[in-house]
Amino acid sequence: MQFGKASLSYRQAGQVKTLTFTDLNLMAPGLRVDSRRRPLAYGEVISITLTSAVPLELGAFSLQAELGSPSKMLSNGFQTWSQTRVYSPEQYMAPLFAPARPLLAPYGDYRLLTSTGKKGQFHSWSWTGFEENGRWLLLASISEDWGYTLFAADLIQGSLSIRRDCLGEATSEYPLLEIYIGQGSEQQVWEEFASLLPRHWRPPGRCTGWTSWYNYYTKINEEIICSNLRALSASGHPFDIFQIDDGWQGGIGDWLDVNAKFPSGLDTLARAARDKGFRPGLWLAPFICDAKSRLWREHYDWVLKDEKGRPVKAGINPGWNGWFYALDFYAPGFQTWLRQVFSTVFNQWGFQMVKLDFLYAVALMPRQGHCRGRIMAEAMEFLCQTCGDNFILGCGVPLAQAAGRADYCRIGADVAPFWEDSFLAAIKYRERVSTINSLYSTLHRHMLDRRLFRNDPDVFILRDGKPGVNANKLTRRQRHTLFFLNNLLGGLVFLSDHIGEYTPEQKEQLAEMFPNQETEIINLAARNDVYTIEFKASDQEYIALANLSRRPARQQLPPGQWFHPELIVTAGVVDLEPYQTICLVKVQAKPGPHILGSSGHIYPGGQIESFIWSKPGWTLTLKAHAAPHTRVWIAVPDGSEELQVNGQIFPVRKEATIPWVVI
């Protein structure tokens, strides 16, 4: 990649100065810029460091580069809820509707920059990717602990600007950039980039569980929690986590106060969850409060203030008390109090996992000689150290600063019991609560799982619900698409439904996610909102076709024959209805009887343990927690009339080119 002009702005002795240069090894009066390139298997690392004789207060750094003519760009949103998707040159990223900015700006990057709204111009935080002639070019920042990195591209002009948000950083030595640039397959470059990250982190196992939010929201109480706990346990499914979300606390910021809706106390509920074999989890938002909280009254000095002494608004929530405010991470006594909060949650109440929400609020403005990105990194490191061996689920957080510090991290916006919010979409609010908005980010952040943290794609929703209360407006196909993609791409898979209220059909669908399996994504491609995902699970090759659009679609399958319980064996093309997702397993040609696939699992054949010959017939064994309604298709040699499996005789049928039996 060819670099062009660089620019550095800073304040020294009360004067704002701007240094412009093209040589990335620069000596200037009182300061020096050094650059270094380190070659790797698929690319290189570019490091640019600033050294000054006296401390400087930095403003911003930018570096221009030439792109070529990419056909697509990956745009990573600013934080958890910010939409992430791939754009082509003929598309555009519209700015947020101006009248909405006072209400919605704190949630995203709207105060850091304004989208131009011009065709072909996009921006991306921390990393970005470009596709050109079938190859993937990844640019990713390795050192986000020192500041947010922005990639702003013009795909029509073929230009790229790499910018470091270092505003407010007071230092005499600073890593202006440390960027990985790699080219190859998506797997190759992401794996190489992940190997460069400085944190020693071992990804936890894949988890499933229940959370109260997406069914009851703040209207939870002790009986609702206990009823769902009993239902989850009675289901017999091997769920891992049982998490109580927002609605238990005395106020926003009052995390040591349990409200009157929980008369037995949270320690009793956590113990009940542990007794039933679940890891108990609890929601809190450690960096915010509202003006009606006890914290606000007793520790107003902990509330973050702007340069005019006004409390800094972190957002607005009609379900709380309106505006809520950021807390000052560096205020004397604040960190000590947070340690007490977490000690109480883990050691006294007995929770083993925390969902930490609205984390972006800690870094809304530079202070204490630190830029926004560095404050975010220090706050996440504090949480990581304070929580110790207990699980952290990060939410509402810039993802690079959560890497290696959160065990699990939300990767998309909140889902909803509807497909899209047409009003919020119309005003171009990228953090909007919306199922399709969440799915875009789930798909285009899939590569982060097990590299930065375990991905949390948010919940799936299968329930019908009561009209006007918690009704689900998602269609049957939309529910299945959300259910399937969350299971395929998530390292943490939650639901909020009361499964004791499920219909028989919904109970069968839920059972099809077990046994729970890790997957390896081989390739993900998209065309007009239709996604083709090639993956492996238990050494089987699969392909998933997901149509997120409202129009029917026709998709070409890779070479070979593929099995689906409704299509049996097929090849060539598959027709998809609007919002439909199907998963097919590749048929392996073998001389004797062999498994084609199954129904009863989201991955056809995913619940099969073994199929072996044991005279006088074959023995088929299913894995633990396989769905009771499982059916298995077995291919047999030409000319066969019957097959004995598990002591029963099954007649041979023939469709397409393969004779088979179904048991």
Side-chain angles (χ1 to χ4, degrees):
M1 175 168 282
Q2 296 296 317
F3 295 111
K5 182 175 66 174
S7 176
L8 172 67
S9 64
Y10 58 94
R11 181 186 295 271
Q12 185 179 30
Q15 291 186 324
V16 176
K17 301 181 180 181
T18 299
L19 184 66
T20 302
F21 50 98
T22 54
D23 186 351
L24 297 181
N25 290 284
L26 169 74
M27 292 289 293
L31 59 81
R32 186 176 78 240
V33 175
D34 297 300
S35 68
R36 182 168 61 94
R37 293 193 176 210
R38 176 159 60 100
L40 299 169
Y42 298 104
E44 62 180 345
V45 173
I46 310 295
S47 303
I48 305 174
T49 304
L50 168 70
T51 304
S52 173
V54 297
L56 307 175
E57 183 180 332
L58 302 180
F61 173 76
S62 65
L63 177 63
Q64 308 303 313
E66 295 180 5
L67 264 184
S69 302
S71 58
K72 294 179 182 178
M73 175 182 173
L74 170 66
S75 170
N76 181 54
F78 178 68
Q79 54 110 328
T80 293
W81 307 321
S82 305
Q83 186 184 92
T84 291
R85 60 182 302 174
V86 167
Y87 291 96
S88 55
E90 65 273 11
Q91 294 177 304
Y92 64 93
M93 180 184 287
L96 178 66
F97 184 51
R101 287 176 63 88
L103 292 177
L104 302 178
Y107 297 109
D109 60 16
Y110 307 105
R111 290 176 177 167
L112 300 179
L113 79 166
T114 300
S115 300
T116 66
K118 294 182 179 180
K119 189 180 295 186
Q121 295 185 5
F122 311 103
H123 65 266
S124 182
W125 293 95
S126 302
W127 54 78
T128 187
F130 301 94
E131 188 177 45
E132 185 174 6
N133 300 323
R135 289 177 62 80
W136 188 253
L137 173 67
L138 174 66
L139 288 86
S141 173
I142 300 168
S143 61
E144 288 294 84
D145 285 5
W146 291 90
Y148 298 131
T149 303
L150 176 72
F151 299 89
D154 187 325
L155 302 189
I156 296 175
Q157 297 297 322
S159 62
L160 174 69
S161 175
I162 307 172
R163 309 170 192 171
R164 174 78 96 180
D165 173 39
C166 46
L167 179 67
E169 189 72 23
T171 183
S172 57
E173 188 170 347
Y174 185 79
L176 294 170
L177 285 179
E178 188 175 11
I179 301 291
Y180 168 75
I181 303 174
Q183 193 165 26
S185 71
E186 186 178 59
Q187 274 192 316
Q188 289 169 337
V189 293
W190 271 99
E191 200 61 34
E192 187 164 74
F193 164 66
S195 71
L196 302 171
L197 299 179
R199 305 175 190 93
H200 301 288
W201 174 74
R202 182 171 296 177
R206 193 170 188 273
C207 277
T208 58
W210 182 89
T211 177
S212 59
W213 180 250
Y214 295 89
N215 196 353
Y216 305 100
Y217 302 97
T218 59
K219 300 183 185 303
I220 56 173
N221 57 42
E222 188 169 304
E223 176 49 37
I224 286 173
I225 296 300
C226 289
S227 176
N228 277 275
L229 179 58
R230 290 191 295 267
L232 209 68
S233 178
S235 74
H237 298 311
F239 288 104
D240 303 297
I241 295 174
F242 184 83
Q243 186 234 313
I244 301 171
D245 213 283
D246 183 12
W248 62 268
Q249 69 282 356
I252 300 303
D254 299 336
W255 313 118
L256 294 176
D257 301 337
V258 181
N259 64 44
K261 296 187 294 180
F262 295 86
S264 299
L266 294 187
D267 55 336
T268 301
L269 295 178
R271 183 168 57 251
R274 293 197 307 273
D275 289 346
K276 292 186 179 296
F278 302 114
R279 182 186 293 264
L282 188 67
W283 172 93
L284 59 152
F287 301 136
I288 62 171
C289 73
D290 68 28
K292 292 188 177 181
S293 64
R294 185 161 62 89
L295 183 145
W296 177 281
R297 296 192 305 271
E298 297 180 2
H299 292 286
Y300 186 68
D301 54 313
W302 292 354
V303 177
L304 182 64
K305 317 295 193 308
D306 63 18
E307 62 280 359
K308 295 183 179 180
R310 299 170 300 191
V312 174
K313 294 175 179 176
I316 189 168
N317 188 336
W320 293 342
N321 293 308
W323 289 107
F324 55 92
Y325 300 86
L327 296 171
D328 187 347
F329 182 65
Y330 302 109
F334 176 67
Q335 293 182 28
T336 300
W337 175 77
L338 269 187
R339 290 189 184 95
Q340 180 187 353
V341 168
F342 286 112
S343 177
T344 301
V345 168
F346 296 132
N347 301 325
Q348 295 184 30
W349 295 346
F351 289 93
Q352 298 170 319
M353 172 264 198
V354 283
K355 175 185 174 182
L356 304 180
D357 211 349
F358 296 91
L359 296 178
Y360 67 88
V362 78
L364 286 175
M365 57 180 286
R367 60 195 181 283
Q368 296 290 324
H370 292 343
C371 63
R372 287 170 283 233
R374 188 169 179 187
I375 295 169
M376 193 72 251
E378 288 192 1
M380 289 304 300
E381 185 64 27
F382 169 86
L383 295 175
C384 179
Q385 296 299 322
T386 303
C387 293
D389 294 333
N390 299 288
F391 282 165
I392 294 176
L393 166 56
C395 191
V397 60
L399 301 184
Q401 280 77 12
R405 295 178 174 122
D407 302 283
Y408 303 90
C409 189
R410 276 282 297 281
I411 55 167
D414 282 19
V415 302
F418 50 81
W419 191 247
E420 178 62 292
D421 187 315
S422 57
F423 172 74
L424 294 180
I427 67 171
K428 310 305 179 185
Y429 178 43
R430 295 192 293 276
E431 288 75 24
R432 65 187 179 274
V433 175
S434 153
T435 295
I436 181 61
N437 193 36
S438 181
L439 284 175
Y440 282 139
S441 296
T442 294
L443 287 157
H444 294 294
R445 286 171 167 166
H446 76 273
M447 72 291 285
L448 308 182
D449 190 46
R450 284 174 282 189
R451 293 188 173 108
L452 273 64
F453 33 64
R454 296 311 307 263
N455 283 3
D456 169 24
D458 211 13
V459 305
F460 60 83
I461 305 173
L462 301 181
R463 68 176 186 269
D464 292 324
K466 300 174 183 178
V469 180
N470 57 357
N472 186 4
K473 297 180 182 179
L474 295 171
T475 67
R476 181 176 59 85
R477 289 196 177 102
Q478 290 169 346
R479 297 179 202 196
H480 177 260
T481 288
L482 176 63
F483 173 71
F484 179 86
L485 291 177
N486 280 14
N487 272 280
L488 173 61
L489 303 176
L492 174 66
V493 184
F494 269 176
L495 78 161
S496 288
D497 301 338
H498 192 308
I499 63 177
E501 300 173 354
Y502 272 177
T503 65
E505 181 184 4
Q506 290 161 354
K507 289 179 179 178
E508 285 193 356
Q509 186 171 358
L510 178 67
E512 293 178 3
M513 65 184 281
F514 298 105
N516 189 15
Q517 292 191 24
E518 292 279 15
T519 59
E520 178 188 359
I521 306 301
I522 305 302
N523 187 54
L524 185 149
R527 180 175 60 86
N528 298 330
D529 270 357
V530 181
Y531 288 79
T532 301
I533 310 168
E534 299 174 56
F535 67 99
K536 288 185 178 180
S538 299
D539 297 322
Q540 293 284 334
E541 294 181 51
Y542 291 91
I543 188 165
L545 306 175
N547 182 10
L548 303 189
S549 77
R550 60 184 180 181
R551 297 179 179 85
R554 172 166 288 189
Q555 284 298 99
Q556 179 73 42
L557 290 170
Q561 293 185 310
W562 298 83
F563 172 87
H564 182 272
E566 294 180 5
L567 303 174
I568 313 300
V569 176
T570 189
V573 297
V574 172
D575 291 319
L576 297 171
E577 295 298 322
Y579 309 114
Q580 183 182 17
T581 293
I582 67 169
C583 179
L584 305 97
V585 61
K586 192 167 188 178
V587 174
Q588 303 295 329
K590 296 180 181 179
H594 58 278
I595 301 295
L596 288 174
S598 71
S599 64
H601 197 278
I602 55 174
Y603 313 137
Q607 73 276 59
I608 297 171
E609 181 69 44
S610 63
F611 180 63
I612 58 176
W613 168 259
S614 56
K615 193 174 182 178
W618 290 82
T619 299
L620 173 69
T621 305
L622 301 182
K623 296 178 181 178
H625 304 291
H629 61 283
T630 290
R631 301 182 73 198
V632 180
W633 280 256
I634 302 169
V636 297
D638 283 331
S640 301
E641 295 185 357
E642 60 184 30
L643 186 70
Q644 181 173 325
V645 181
N646 293 349
Q648 297 185 49
I649 302 297
F650 296 89
V652 173
R653 302 167 63 180
K654 186 170 183 179
E655 292 182 14
T657 59
I658 296 179
W660 47 269
V661 302
V662 59
I663 64 173

